[in-house]
Amino acid sequence: MDQRRAEQDHNTGTNTVSLYGEFTVTGNRKVRCAVSLTERDLIVQRLTSAPVGRNKVVLSLKDCVGCRAYREDDNADPAAYLAAYFYPLKRRWLSSGVSRQRAEQCFRIAALQDPRANLEEAEKWARAVRERSARQQYLRDGALMSELSRPSRMMLLVNPQSGKGQALTLYNNHIQRMLNEAGVTHTLVITERQNHARELVKEADLSQWDALVIMSGDGLLFEVINGLLERPDWEEAVRTPLGILPSGSGNALAASIHHYSGASAVYSEELLVSCGFLLCQRLVARMDLVSIHLSSSPRLFSFLSLAWGFVADVDIESEKYRYAGAARFTVGTLVRLASLRVYKGKLAYLPAPEDYSEEEALGNNMTLHCNNQARPSRDSPCQNTFHNSCNSNNSLKVRRTESTPSRSAPKAPAGPPDSLLLPLDQPLPSDWVVVQEEDFVLMLAMYQSNLAEDLLAAPDATPDDGVIHLFYVRAGISRTALLKLFLAMEKGAHLATNCQHLVHAKVRALRLEPSSPKGVITVDGEVVEYGPLQAEVHRGLGRLITG
């Protein structure tokens, strides 16, 4: 077999062919291909008399999730097989946009009569494809991300009731195959009830897993993060890399991760495939977590958002339209606009220095060590599944009417100390800004880019910028102006509308004291105790698989 080794190292930027072979296509031995592997691409050229352009396929190794070598059960067949799995960006059917779509290349290697020699050749190719694919990781926005160990072991927590109740179907149709192709051994855990995931991660032996992955909306991840921070070993536990696969209604964190990848917006199952691909890349970045103190409930940790007023009302009141999936928020927005409310309260915040995002960049860009210790090898990326008979209720939210905490409320997580917050009953420090207005339409604090799949609320946010992106809308805005604001938010253009009622500030901490007798406050989309609260961001406390 003709083989050519690379003459220069991949760091020189060349794309020299390092492996070359001529194989037949699996399933059709009459089709023969010349296959070349470079540092950046897998090039497949059909050996026919047809023009070259029509028969050549170039697949970027950046889009590769896995490659394997194997033999069929037929002992009479000495051939070995090579299968490589890609998810390149392709133009959508009848659409101008692009989305990740699966592409498989599978070849039959039978140059020799010795089955073992053919398998060794196929394994050499598979190793080379995997190694070069792993080398395609790159600096994104100046931050070097760490990589999970390969092969990887993940616990996959699925809420079967999230969104339209299709999570298990989506897992079977997309995720199971994708993770197996990527060599990710995963244990599927189907949650049975509210706080099931929280209880599970509090007691789990985390040394068994390289990552915890949530397939649900954002509510299940809220449970997992707070469960990790309630552990006695929270300081180590919170560094466990977390992944998200969207199957809920809002899918804000999943949409944020997709946005950070630089790809154009996609929705629904296309967003799921994109997040599955990014998960298979196994790159881990730091993630800010926000400590939230309520007047009488235990401290909470938040990864996404804090909302009061219009946004919180829409989130909770639209539960009745859950069958509509992500469209429930559009319906809820129109309903709430019809009877626009004013919310009274006091708001104050500690501004972030203008250069705050850069002043700690050096410390935050260091390589992370995320469970990269050696793991026992496994024969195949098969999965173990825990099938639970009960359905989950994780994503069903109940509006609280009392501020008294439940007797079964978990103890306050240990977590890191808050250095910027004073007790709620004490006056604010002099360097805080107190908002003069006390009549609001909404208050929204964001620490990720997206509020929903189609709402780019904080377009400049990054997972670990160390700031809370605070938005509030003062009373007096018209229904038409508010609707225009949310329509502009779909593209992240709301800050350019010059709406006189909208205020945006980057802050490190905030305090909210509602004075309206009734209302709703949500943290990561979950209803919390209504009353005074304050929050402080902890930069890079968590770990997030961003691909």
Side-chain angles (χ1 to χ4, degrees):
M1 179 177 296
D2 181 20
Q3 299 178 0
R4 290 177 283 177
R5 297 292 180 183
E7 298 176 358
Q8 295 181 344
D9 186 82
H10 73 281
N11 288 327
T12 65
T14 60
N15 202 27
T16 308
V17 173
S18 57
L19 282 178
Y20 175 85
E22 294 184 6
F23 314 125
T24 56
V25 174
T26 300
N28 189 349
R29 299 185 188 181
K30 295 182 179 180
V31 178
R32 191 165 184 82
C33 296
V35 183
S36 304
L37 178 65
T38 72
E39 286 296 333
R40 296 192 295 268
D41 304 305
L42 183 70
I43 304 170
V44 182
Q45 173 72 58
R46 286 197 176 194
L47 299 175
T48 69
S49 58
V52 171
R54 296 173 55 189
N55 295 282
K56 184 177 181 180
V57 176
V58 179
L59 294 161
S60 172
L61 294 176
K62 285 184 178 180
D63 298 326
C64 181
V65 298
C67 187
R68 69 186 183 103
Y70 62 96
R71 290 197 65 236
E72 297 285 7
D73 294 333
D74 184 4
N75 291 328
D77 181 8
Y81 294 85
L82 175 72
Y85 309 102
F86 296 81
Y87 286 81
L89 289 169
K90 295 183 179 180
R91 194 161 300 281
R92 303 183 199 128
W93 178 250
L94 298 177
S95 172
S96 60
V98 295
S99 62
R100 293 207 176 270
Q101 301 174 34
R102 184 176 182 273
E104 177 181 348
Q105 293 289 331
C106 192
F107 306 102
R108 183 176 184 269
I109 299 176
L112 303 172
Q113 290 301 312
D114 183 358
R116 181 177 298 179
N118 288 328
L119 183 59
E120 288 177 352
E121 179 68 15
E123 288 175 339
K124 178 180 69 176
W125 274 82
R127 283 193 304 270
V129 170
R130 290 194 298 266
E131 289 169 359
R132 285 156 179 74
S133 176
R135 285 205 291 261
Q136 296 305 305
Q137 315 308 350
Y138 54 93
L139 284 170
R140 181 182 299 154
D141 296 332
L144 181 62
M145 293 177 283
S146 70
E147 182 181 6
L148 293 179
S149 62
R150 294 173 183 257
S152 303
R153 301 186 300 180
M154 300 182 183
M155 178 191 291
L156 178 57
L157 295 136
V158 177
N159 173 7
Q161 296 297 100
S162 60
K164 296 181 180 180
Q166 299 295 313
L168 287 175
T169 299
L170 293 170
Y171 165 79
N172 291 326
N173 290 347
H174 298 287
I175 300 305
Q176 182 180 29
R177 177 176 64 183
M178 187 182 293
L179 293 181
N180 288 341
E181 290 170 350
V184 175
T185 302
H186 61 287
T187 297
L188 180 66
V189 178
I190 302 173
T191 58
E192 300 175 348
R193 62 187 181 279
Q194 190 171 9
N195 282 321
H196 182 192
R198 188 174 194 156
E199 296 163 3
L200 191 151
V201 300
K202 282 174 64 176
E203 305 297 333
D205 178 5
L206 297 179
S207 65
Q208 297 184 53
W209 315 106
D210 298 303
L212 302 177
V213 180
I214 289 80
M215 187 166 180
S216 180
D218 297 306
L220 199 62
L221 185 57
F222 175 78
E223 286 189 19
V224 168
I225 286 174
N226 282 279
L228 292 174
L229 283 156
E230 288 166 4
R231 294 170 59 107
D233 62 343
W234 67 266
E235 201 163 0
E236 179 69 22
V238 77
R239 295 190 180 97
T240 303
L242 303 173
I244 186 78
L245 296 170
S247 65
S249 299
N251 303 319
L253 182 62
S256 298
I257 290 173
H258 177 84
H259 173 71
Y260 301 146
S261 74
S264 57
V266 293
Y267 311 100
S268 190
E269 291 188 34
E270 290 181 348
L271 178 61
L272 174 64
V273 172
S274 173
C275 289
F277 169 80
L278 294 171
L279 178 67
C280 291
Q281 299 304 295
R282 287 171 267 209
L283 294 180
V284 181
R286 295 177 185 266
M287 174 175 62
D288 295 340
L289 295 178
V290 172
S291 170
I292 297 178
H293 293 260
L294 307 168
S295 58
S296 59
S297 298
R299 179 167 65 146
L300 300 173
F301 285 90
S302 170
F303 66 91
L304 178 66
S305 66
L306 168 65
W308 170 62
F310 184 88
V311 171
D313 282 356
V314 168
D315 194 4
I316 302 309
E317 293 171 2
S318 65
E319 282 288 342
K320 65 185 76 171
Y321 312 117
R322 177 169 290 277
Y323 62 87
R328 61 176 264 216
F329 299 108
T330 302
V331 177
T333 297
L334 296 175
V335 170
R336 179 48 43 218
L337 276 171
S339 55
L340 197 58
R341 297 172 180 165
V342 172
Y343 307 82
K344 294 184 178 294
K346 296 179 180 179
L347 177 64
Y349 57 87
L350 176 65
E354 290 185 5
D355 60 347
Y356 180 69
S357 295
E358 290 79 22
E359 67 183 9
E360 295 181 2
L362 182 61
N364 277 350
N365 288 350
M366 61 194 302
T367 302
L368 310 177
H369 300 282
C370 298
N371 298 332
N372 284 335
Q373 62 267 33
R375 297 291 188 186
S377 62
R378 291 173 174 77
D379 295 332
S380 64
C382 61
Q383 53 147 20
N384 298 316
T385 305
F386 294 153
H387 287 289
N388 298 318
S389 59
C390 299
N391 287 331
S392 168
N393 194 33
N394 283 321
S395 59
L396 299 180
K397 308 182 185 77
V398 180
R399 181 166 177 166
R400 298 183 184 177
T401 58
E402 298 179 0
S403 61
T404 304
S406 167
R407 291 182 181 178
S408 61
K411 294 180 180 179
D418 294 312
S419 61
L420 304 175
L421 301 179
L422 297 175
L424 278 164
D425 58 356
Q426 292 188 16
L428 291 167
S430 59
D431 54 348
W432 283 54
V433 173
V434 177
V435 178
Q436 297 301 313
E437 295 84 4
E438 295 189 5
D439 292 339
F440 301 89
V441 169
L442 66 86
M443 187 282 293
L444 175 65
M446 295 287 302
Y447 356 114
Q448 303 291 343
S449 64
N450 284 63
L451 184 60
E453 287 185 13
D454 56 352
L455 289 177
L456 187 57
D460 296 332
T462 59
D464 65 338
D465 56 13
V467 299
I468 298 172
H469 297 260
L470 176 64
F471 303 86
Y472 62 88
V473 174
R474 298 180 294 231
I477 190 171
S478 67
R479 293 179 177 85
T480 301
L482 187 59
L483 178 59
K484 288 181 178 179
L485 205 59
F486 276 90
L487 291 175
M489 193 181 291
E490 292 181 4
K491 302 295 184 181
H494 50 294
L495 296 177
T497 60
N498 297 319
C499 175
Q500 61 180 351
H501 293 89
L502 172 65
V503 179
H504 170 230
K506 295 182 179 180
V507 309
R508 297 179 64 191
L510 64 88
R511 178 183 288 187
L512 172 67
E513 300 177 73
S515 54
S516 298
K518 295 181 181 179
V520 175
I521 296 173
T522 59
V523 173
D524 299 348
E526 302 294 316
V527 178
V528 299
E529 173 192 343
Y530 185 72
L533 63 83
Q534 54 187 2
E536 174 183 337
V537 63
H538 289 268
R539 189 170 193 175
L541 178 61
R543 301 292 183 267
L544 181 66
I545 301 174
T546 57

PDB file of all heavy atoms in Angstrom, residues 310 313 317 333-343 479:
ATOM      1  N   PHE A 310     -41.705  41.796  34.277  1.00  0.00           N
ATOM      2  CA  PHE A 310     -42.286  41.308  33.031  1.00  0.00           C
ATOM      3  C   PHE A 310     -41.707  39.965  32.604  1.00  0.00           C
ATOM      4  O   PHE A 310     -42.440  39.030  32.280  1.00  0.00           O
ATOM      5  CB  PHE A 310     -42.065  42.354  31.935  1.00  0.00           C
ATOM      6  CG  PHE A 310     -42.701  42.019  30.621  1.00  0.00           C
ATOM      7  CD1 PHE A 310     -43.999  42.386  30.347  1.00  0.00           C
ATOM      8  CD2 PHE A 310     -41.989  41.325  29.642  1.00  0.00           C
ATOM      9  CE1 PHE A 310     -44.590  42.073  29.124  1.00  0.00           C
ATOM     10  CE2 PHE A 310     -42.561  41.007  28.427  1.00  0.00           C
ATOM     11  CZ  PHE A 310     -43.870  41.383  28.163  1.00  0.00           C
ATOM     12  N   ASP A 313     -42.748  37.106  34.910  1.00  0.00           N
ATOM     13  CA  ASP A 313     -44.164  36.786  34.741  1.00  0.00           C
ATOM     14  C   ASP A 313     -44.403  35.972  33.472  1.00  0.00           C
ATOM     15  O   ASP A 313     -45.153  34.993  33.473  1.00  0.00           O
ATOM     16  CB  ASP A 313     -44.990  38.075  34.693  1.00  0.00           C
ATOM     17  CG  ASP A 313     -45.211  38.677  36.076  1.00  0.00           C
ATOM     18  OD1 ASP A 313     -44.788  38.043  37.061  1.00  0.00           O
ATOM     19  OD2 ASP A 313     -45.795  39.765  36.162  1.00  0.00           O
ATOM     20  N   GLU A 317     -46.067  32.386  33.668  1.00  0.00           N
ATOM     21  CA  GLU A 317     -47.436  32.332  33.146  1.00  0.00           C
ATOM     22  C   GLU A 317     -47.537  31.552  31.844  1.00  0.00           C
ATOM     23  O   GLU A 317     -48.604  31.048  31.498  1.00  0.00           O
ATOM     24  CB  GLU A 317     -47.968  33.755  32.950  1.00  0.00           C
ATOM     25  CG  GLU A 317     -48.169  34.505  34.265  1.00  0.00           C
ATOM     26  CD  GLU A 317     -48.477  35.978  34.062  1.00  0.00           C
ATOM     27  OE1 GLU A 317     -48.581  36.406  32.894  1.00  0.00           O
ATOM     28  OE2 GLU A 317     -48.611  36.696  35.073  1.00  0.00           O
ATOM     29  N   THR A 333     -45.498  36.426  26.012  1.00  0.00           N
ATOM     30  CA  THR A 333     -45.144  37.841  25.882  1.00  0.00           C
ATOM     31  C   THR A 333     -46.327  38.656  25.378  1.00  0.00           C
ATOM     32  O   THR A 333     -46.624  39.744  25.901  1.00  0.00           O
ATOM     33  CB  THR A 333     -43.949  37.995  24.922  1.00  0.00           C
ATOM     34  OG1 THR A 333     -42.816  37.323  25.474  1.00  0.00           O
ATOM     35  CG2 THR A 333     -43.607  39.463  24.705  1.00  0.00           C
ATOM     36  N   LEU A 334     -47.020  38.165  24.371  1.00  0.00           N
ATOM     37  CA  LEU A 334     -48.176  38.883  23.828  1.00  0.00           C
ATOM     38  C   LEU A 334     -49.294  39.005  24.851  1.00  0.00           C
ATOM     39  O   LEU A 334     -49.941  40.061  24.957  1.00  0.00           O
ATOM     40  CB  LEU A 334     -48.663  38.180  22.559  1.00  0.00           C
ATOM     41  CG  LEU A 334     -47.676  38.163  21.383  1.00  0.00           C
ATOM     42  CD1 LEU A 334     -48.224  37.326  20.239  1.00  0.00           C
ATOM     43  CD2 LEU A 334     -47.369  39.575  20.911  1.00  0.00           C
ATOM     44  N   VAL A 335     -49.519  37.941  25.623  1.00  0.00           N
ATOM     45  CA  VAL A 335     -50.562  37.982  26.649  1.00  0.00           C
ATOM     46  C   VAL A 335     -50.221  39.008  27.723  1.00  0.00           C
ATOM     47  O   VAL A 335     -51.066  39.806  28.148  1.00  0.00           O
ATOM     48  CB  VAL A 335     -50.761  36.582  27.266  1.00  0.00           C
ATOM     49  CG1 VAL A 335     -51.666  36.653  28.496  1.00  0.00           C
ATOM     50  CG2 VAL A 335     -51.340  35.621  26.243  1.00  0.00           C
ATOM     51  N   ARG A 336     -48.975  39.032  28.172  1.00  0.00           N
ATOM     52  CA  ARG A 336     -48.585  39.969  29.228  1.00  0.00           C
ATOM     53  C   ARG A 336     -48.547  41.405  28.711  1.00  0.00           C
ATOM     54  O   ARG A 336     -48.852  42.348  29.442  1.00  0.00           O
ATOM     55  CB  ARG A 336     -47.223  39.540  29.791  1.00  0.00           C
ATOM     56  CG  ARG A 336     -46.614  40.393  30.880  1.00  0.00           C
ATOM     57  CD  ARG A 336     -47.515  40.756  32.024  1.00  0.00           C
ATOM     58  NE  ARG A 336     -48.331  39.685  32.523  1.00  0.00           N
ATOM     59  CZ  ARG A 336     -49.584  39.848  32.930  1.00  0.00           C
ATOM     60  NH1 ARG A 336     -50.163  41.032  32.850  1.00  0.00           N
ATOM     61  NH2 ARG A 336     -50.268  38.836  33.386  1.00  0.00           N
ATOM     62  N   LEU A 337     -48.197  41.590  27.445  1.00  0.00           N
ATOM     63  CA  LEU A 337     -48.210  42.934  26.872  1.00  0.00           C
ATOM     64  C   LEU A 337     -49.615  43.531  26.877  1.00  0.00           C
ATOM     65  O   LEU A 337     -49.793  44.743  27.019  1.00  0.00           O
ATOM     66  CB  LEU A 337     -47.682  42.906  25.432  1.00  0.00           C
ATOM     67  CG  LEU A 337     -46.171  42.958  25.236  1.00  0.00           C
ATOM     68  CD1 LEU A 337     -45.810  42.694  23.786  1.00  0.00           C
ATOM     69  CD2 LEU A 337     -45.598  44.291  25.691  1.00  0.00           C
ATOM     70  N   ALA A 338     -50.614  42.672  26.736  1.00  0.00           N
ATOM     71  CA  ALA A 338     -51.998  43.154  26.692  1.00  0.00           C
ATOM     72  C   ALA A 338     -52.416  43.786  28.006  1.00  0.00           C
ATOM     73  O   ALA A 338     -53.312  44.643  28.040  1.00  0.00           O
ATOM     74  CB  ALA A 338     -52.937  42.004  26.326  1.00  0.00           C
ATOM     75  N   SER A 339     -51.793  43.359  29.096  1.00  0.00           N
ATOM     76  CA  SER A 339     -52.104  43.960  30.409  1.00  0.00           C
ATOM     77  C   SER A 339     -50.793  44.253  31.128  1.00  0.00           C
ATOM     78  O   SER A 339     -50.434  43.592  32.103  1.00  0.00           O
ATOM     79  CB  SER A 339     -52.984  43.013  31.234  1.00  0.00           C
ATOM     80  OG  SER A 339     -52.383  41.745  31.364  1.00  0.00           O
ATOM     81  N   LEU A 340     -50.088  45.244  30.605  1.00  0.00           N
ATOM     82  CA  LEU A 340     -48.753  45.584  31.099  1.00  0.00           C
ATOM     83  C   LEU A 340     -48.806  46.083  32.538  1.00  0.00           C
ATOM     84  O   LEU A 340     -49.654  46.902  32.897  1.00  0.00           O
ATOM     85  CB  LEU A 340     -48.145  46.659  30.199  1.00  0.00           C
ATOM     86  CG  LEU A 340     -46.634  46.881  30.278  1.00  0.00           C
ATOM     87  CD1 LEU A 340     -45.886  45.602  29.953  1.00  0.00           C
ATOM     88  CD2 LEU A 340     -46.233  47.994  29.317  1.00  0.00           C
ATOM     89  N   ARG A 341     -47.909  45.575  33.361  1.00  0.00           N
ATOM     90  CA  ARG A 341     -47.875  45.927  34.773  1.00  0.00           C
ATOM     91  C   ARG A 341     -46.680  46.810  35.100  1.00  0.00           C
ATOM     92  O   ARG A 341     -45.684  46.824  34.387  1.00  0.00           O
ATOM     93  CB  ARG A 341     -47.783  44.648  35.634  1.00  0.00           C
ATOM     94  CG  ARG A 341     -48.969  43.708  35.513  1.00  0.00           C
ATOM     95  CD  ARG A 341     -48.658  42.414  36.239  1.00  0.00           C
ATOM     96  NE  ARG A 341     -49.769  41.456  36.153  1.00  0.00           N
ATOM     97  CZ  ARG A 341     -49.661  40.164  36.444  1.00  0.00           C
ATOM     98  NH1 ARG A 341     -48.490  39.673  36.829  1.00  0.00           N
ATOM     99  NH2 ARG A 341     -50.705  39.361  36.352  1.00  0.00           N
ATOM    100  N   VAL A 342     -46.805  47.511  36.211  1.00  0.00           N
ATOM    101  CA  VAL A 342     -45.695  48.268  36.782  1.00  0.00           C
ATOM    102  C   VAL A 342     -45.344  47.639  38.126  1.00  0.00           C
ATOM    103  O   VAL A 342     -46.226  47.295  38.916  1.00  0.00           O
ATOM    104  CB  VAL A 342     -46.060  49.754  36.962  1.00  0.00           C
ATOM    105  CG1 VAL A 342     -44.965  50.488  37.734  1.00  0.00           C
ATOM    106  CG2 VAL A 342     -46.282  50.412  35.600  1.00  0.00           C
ATOM    107  N   TYR A 343     -44.045  47.460  38.377  1.00  0.00           N
ATOM    108  CA  TYR A 343     -43.564  46.800  39.591  1.00  0.00           C
ATOM    109  C   TYR A 343     -42.766  47.818  40.395  1.00  0.00           C
ATOM    110  O   TYR A 343     -41.849  48.456  39.864  1.00  0.00           O
ATOM    111  CB  TYR A 343     -42.685  45.599  39.229  1.00  0.00           C
ATOM    112  CG  TYR A 343     -43.361  44.637  38.276  1.00  0.00           C
ATOM    113  CD1 TYR A 343     -43.373  44.893  36.899  1.00  0.00           C
ATOM    114  CD2 TYR A 343     -43.989  43.492  38.739  1.00  0.00           C
ATOM    115  CE1 TYR A 343     -43.996  44.032  36.024  1.00  0.00           C
ATOM    116  CE2 TYR A 343     -44.605  42.615  37.860  1.00  0.00           C
ATOM    117  CZ  TYR A 343     -44.609  42.885  36.505  1.00  0.00           C
ATOM    118  OH  TYR A 343     -45.240  42.027  35.634  1.00  0.00           O
ATOM    119  N   ARG A 479     -46.506  49.833  25.157  1.00  0.00           N
ATOM    120  CA  ARG A 479     -46.541  48.434  24.748  1.00  0.00           C
ATOM    121  C   ARG A 479     -45.808  48.236  23.422  1.00  0.00           C
ATOM    122  O   ARG A 479     -45.082  47.257  23.236  1.00  0.00           O
ATOM    123  CB  ARG A 479     -47.998  47.956  24.627  1.00  0.00           C
ATOM    124  CG  ARG A 479     -48.751  47.888  25.940  1.00  0.00           C
ATOM    125  CD  ARG A 479     -50.192  47.429  25.703  1.00  0.00           C
ATOM    126  NE  ARG A 479     -50.908  47.290  26.956  1.00  0.00           N
ATOM    127  CZ  ARG A 479     -51.525  48.270  27.587  1.00  0.00           C
ATOM    128  NH1 ARG A 479     -51.504  49.504  27.068  1.00  0.00           N
ATOM    129  NH2 ARG A 479     -52.160  48.045  28.722  1.00  0.00           N
TER     130      ARG A 479
END
